[in-house]
Amino acid sequence: QFRKKRLRFGRSRIHEWGLFAMEPIAADEMVIEYVGQNIRQVVADMREKRYAQEGIGSSYLFRVDHDTIIDATKCGNLARFINHCCTPNCYAKVITIEAQKKIVIYSKQAISVNEEITYDYKFPIEDTKIPCLCRTESCRGTLN
């Protein structure tokens, strides 16, 4: 049975805001579900443009599969504050519950109190690069 982990968001050394453990988390535990509105790719494309026009600096769009994206920009939970890291302490996994696909963040290793929760965004390789700010020894330099 999953017990909700105690987490907080706060200033991150990686990028603006981040999500932090408020209790020790063991390896291979469910940390948090990435919650938002399920939308199609066409809607995601339109929203991304609209968010940029509205001056919303960060959009929180997470691809579930070829057709479905979870948009946590305006109606999400704390999971949207998890930053990318090239050597993350968590990973995202798509699971199906009652025929609905969900994104769940699991710990890869033990996580200490006040440690930032991170995962690899695994963005597709594109010509326009997004700089990575994780600053780890094995940082790839870009998110994509």
Side-chain angles (χ1 to χ4, degrees):
Q1 184 71 1
F2 169 64
R3 184 186 60 76
K4 188 175 178 183
K5 301 294 181 277
R6 292 190 358 249
L7 307 167
R8 68 171 174 83
F9 82 99
R11 285 294 188 188
S12 167
R13 67 165 191 78
I14 297 173
H15 181 254
E16 295 180 4
W17 297 100
L19 190 63
F20 298 84
M22 288 183 63
E23 66 180 283
I25 300 171
D28 300 315
E29 282 195 15
M30 183 174 166
V31 176
I32 191 169
E33 179 185 350
Y34 192 95
V35 175
Q37 192 175 25
N38 283 10
I39 58 174
R40 296 184 334 269
Q41 181 66 55
V42 172
V43 176
D45 292 341
M46 289 188 305
R47 284 190 183 181
E48 201 166 24
K49 288 180 186 134
R50 188 173 76 230
Y51 293 154
Q53 290 167 350
E54 292 174 359
I56 296 173
S58 298
S59 59
Y60 301 92
L61 303 168
F62 197 130
R63 177 173 300 285
V64 176
D65 58 28
H66 182 70
D67 302 317
T68 310
I69 292 164
I70 295 178
D71 183 359
T73 307
K74 292 187 175 179
C75 59
N77 65 352
L78 290 178
R80 70 182 180 207
F81 295 111
I82 301 173
N83 281 312
H84 164 86
C85 184
C86 295
T87 53
N89 55 18
C90 291
Y91 64 94
K93 183 177 180 179
V94 177
I95 63 170
T96 304
I97 298 174
E98 296 175 6
Q100 188 172 6
K101 290 182 180 178
K102 299 180 177 288
I103 297 169
V104 179
I105 309 302
Y106 288 92
S107 55
K108 287 177 77 167
Q109 62 204 41
I111 298 171
S112 306
V113 174
N114 292 322
E115 187 176 342
E116 184 167 1
I117 307 294
T118 59
Y119 64 87
D120 186 338
Y121 287 4
K122 296 187 178 179
F123 284 170
I125 295 171
E126 297 180 43
D127 290 335
T128 306
K129 297 296 182 188
I130 302 167
C132 179
L133 305 172
C134 78
R135 297 184 213 106
T136 60
E137 263 184 48
S138 57
C139 179
R140 298 188 300 265
T142 65
L143 302 185
N144 58 349

